[in-house]
Amino acid sequence: MKNWKFTVGILFFIVTIGYSIIYSVTTDNHVDQVRLHYAEDGVTLISAMPHAPTKPFFFGSDKLGFSLLDQLVIGAKYTLIFALLIALLRVVGGLLFGVIYAFQLKPRTQNWLGKLIDSIHFLPLSLIAYILLAPILLPVLDGYGYVFTFTFTERILLEMLILTILVVPLITVLLGKEIQRVMENEFIASAKVLGGSRFHLFCRHVFPHIGPRLTILFGQQFIQVLLIFIHLGIFKFFFGGTKRSFDPMEADPPMSMTNEWSGLVGEIGRIALSSGRYWYLWILVAFMFAIFAMQLIIQGVKEVQQEKVGVLYKVPKACRKKAPSKTKEAQSYEISKQSFKRIGRGF
């Protein structure tokens, strides 16, 4: 916490998620809506939905007149908490399978499995997630109308599971190779000679070396999850389910059931950029702040780790000496016979 970058990044998530939870509890997830904004006389029409900033809402409104600020505040806890949970599940799952990869599999099997999993790098994960999540997040038609196949809790759990499984194989090979690299050090051989078990080697020697790497990997996975949320939001696939009317008489667009941030992304390209409603870009700004905060955390962890190994060194304040304000003048002297000393023999 002494590193200011790490502290600022952590405080962003604590303050944002905390304020979102407090707002939801105190207001019961209330979102202000104004369809027609009139002047104080109640007759003069000032604006119709969507409203531009700053009246009646500071960040403006969507096409149905709902405040963007209220939706961003309510959806912050869903977007950030579940993105953090998915990133954590990816790292923990990859670590568990990475240990099996490094300690249990034979080198031939490791090479074959590594080449097979490396091909996943070239697959568009957002497109695969789109195909797998279509029957989960979208309602289907039955005898009573359009309903969801799964409950709200099941949709969230299944989406988290799918977004986790897509990346676990890649993290498994990455961490497995990292564990193997640590196992090649001489102190590992010494620990084996002294009778250290695999569990002892991993807990006391391997994990302290890959711990900072896990933190950095967690931050990278969090950013990747946010990017997948943005891609799915463009396709109208919102976290927790997409609420749609499917009624040609109604003009209601697809909406998120949790007001999470990706539920607002789908309107950016079609409305903000084509019709000049620039205030929709506040949605992207929210994602940018979250990604920037995580980048600060990653950079802070790197700096702390580099200081421990001696790559970066900070001089304590008590040891810092102020530079003299005035340079000392060089002492002048005159050249005389006494300035020279004879050595050796003369001729």
Side-chain angles (χ1 to χ4, degrees):
M1 295 299 294
K2 293 183 180 179
N3 185 281
W4 71 268
K5 295 180 180 178
F6 183 85
T7 303
V8 171
I10 288 292
L11 287 178
F12 170 82
F13 289 101
I14 294 176
V15 172
T16 304
I17 296 175
Y19 180 73
S20 177
I21 295 175
I22 293 174
Y23 182 87
S24 297
V25 171
T26 55
T27 64
D28 194 21
N29 290 327
H30 173 72
V31 180
D32 290 335
Q33 182 184 25
V34 175
R35 294 183 178 272
L36 299 175
H37 179 47
Y38 290 94
E40 296 181 357
D41 56 9
V43 178
T44 305
L45 179 63
I46 298 178
S47 64
M49 54 184 187
H51 306 284
T54 57
K55 293 182 179 181
F57 305 117
F58 184 76
F59 281 179
S61 71
D62 59 9
K63 63 185 304 182
L64 296 180
F66 290 102
S67 172
L68 284 181
L69 179 59
D70 292 346
Q71 295 182 68
L72 289 174
V73 172
I74 294 174
K77 59 182 179 295
Y78 294 103
T79 305
L80 299 180
I81 290 178
F82 285 106
L84 292 171
L85 286 177
I86 294 173
L88 180 62
L89 290 176
R90 287 180 173 186
V91 174
V92 173
L95 178 62
L96 294 177
F97 289 105
V99 173
I100 299 175
Y101 175 92
F103 287 98
Q104 299 295 334
L105 300 183
K106 297 180 179 179
R108 183 177 179 181
T109 306
Q110 291 176 352
N111 294 332
W112 174 81
L113 188 62
K115 293 179 180 179
L116 178 63
I117 294 178
D118 283 343
S119 61
I120 301 178
H121 284 286
F122 303 97
L123 297 178
L125 297 181
S126 298
L127 182 59
I128 298 176
Y130 172 84
I131 297 173
L132 297 177
L133 293 175
I136 299 175
L137 300 181
L138 293 180
V140 296
L141 179 64
D142 65 357
Y144 301 96
Y146 287 92
V147 295
F148 286 102
T149 307
F150 302 93
T151 63
F152 178 73
T153 303
E154 291 174 346
R155 292 195 298 271
I156 290 180
L157 294 178
L158 288 174
E159 184 171 0
M160 292 177 60
L161 180 63
I162 291 174
L163 294 181
T164 300
I165 292 177
L166 289 177
V167 185
V168 165
L170 295 174
I171 300 179
T172 297
V173 175
L174 176 64
L175 294 180
K177 292 181 179 180
E178 188 72 16
I179 293 174
Q180 285 182 327
R181 187 186 62 82
V182 178
M183 293 291 292
E184 295 175 355
N185 292 321
E186 295 181 357
F187 62 86
I188 296 293
S190 302
K192 289 181 179 180
V193 172
L194 295 175
S197 62
R198 292 180 178 179
F199 180 79
H200 174 82
L201 292 176
F202 176 77
C203 295
R204 298 298 299 271
H205 300 286
V206 176
F207 188 78
H209 282 77
I210 67 174
R213 173 64 174 166
L214 294 178
T215 306
I216 297 172
L217 184 61
F218 169 77
Q220 294 172 346
Q221 292 303 313
F222 170 80
I223 295 174
Q224 187 184 72
V225 172
L226 288 185
L227 294 179
I228 292 179
F229 280 174
I230 294 175
H231 296 162
L232 293 177
I234 295 176
F235 293 112
K236 310 296 183 182
F237 280 24
F238 307 142
F239 187 81
T242 303
K243 183 170 58 177
R244 305 180 68 176
S245 62
F246 293 97
D247 188 352
M249 302 300 295
E250 297 182 5
D252 293 349
M255 299 179 62
S256 172
M257 302 188 66
T258 58
N259 287 317
E260 47 85 26
W261 292 350
S262 64
L264 304 172
V265 171
E267 302 295 328
I268 293 178
R270 185 168 57 87
I271 294 180
L273 302 181
S274 60
S275 59
R277 298 169 185 173
Y278 60 89
W279 58 89
Y280 274 82
L281 296 178
W282 285 114
I283 305 164
L284 290 182
V285 172
F287 278 103
M288 291 171 58
F289 273 116
I291 294 174
F292 180 71
M294 184 56 69
Q295 290 283 13
L296 287 178
I297 294 176
I298 294 174
Q299 188 63 30
V301 172
K302 289 182 179 179
E303 291 182 357
V304 172
Q305 184 65 14
Q306 289 173 351
E307 290 177 9
K308 288 183 178 181
V309 299
V311 177
L312 295 179
Y313 178 72
K314 291 185 177 181
V315 180
K317 294 182 179 180
C319 298
R320 297 175 185 174
K321 296 182 179 180
K322 296 182 179 180
S325 57
K326 296 182 179 180
T327 57
K328 294 183 179 180
E329 297 181 357
Q331 296 180 356
S332 58
Y333 57 91
E334 297 180 356
I335 299 177
S336 60
K337 292 182 178 181
Q338 286 74 19
S339 301
F340 301 91
K341 184 178 180 181
R342 180 177 177 181
I343 59 174
R345 292 183 177 181
F347 293 98

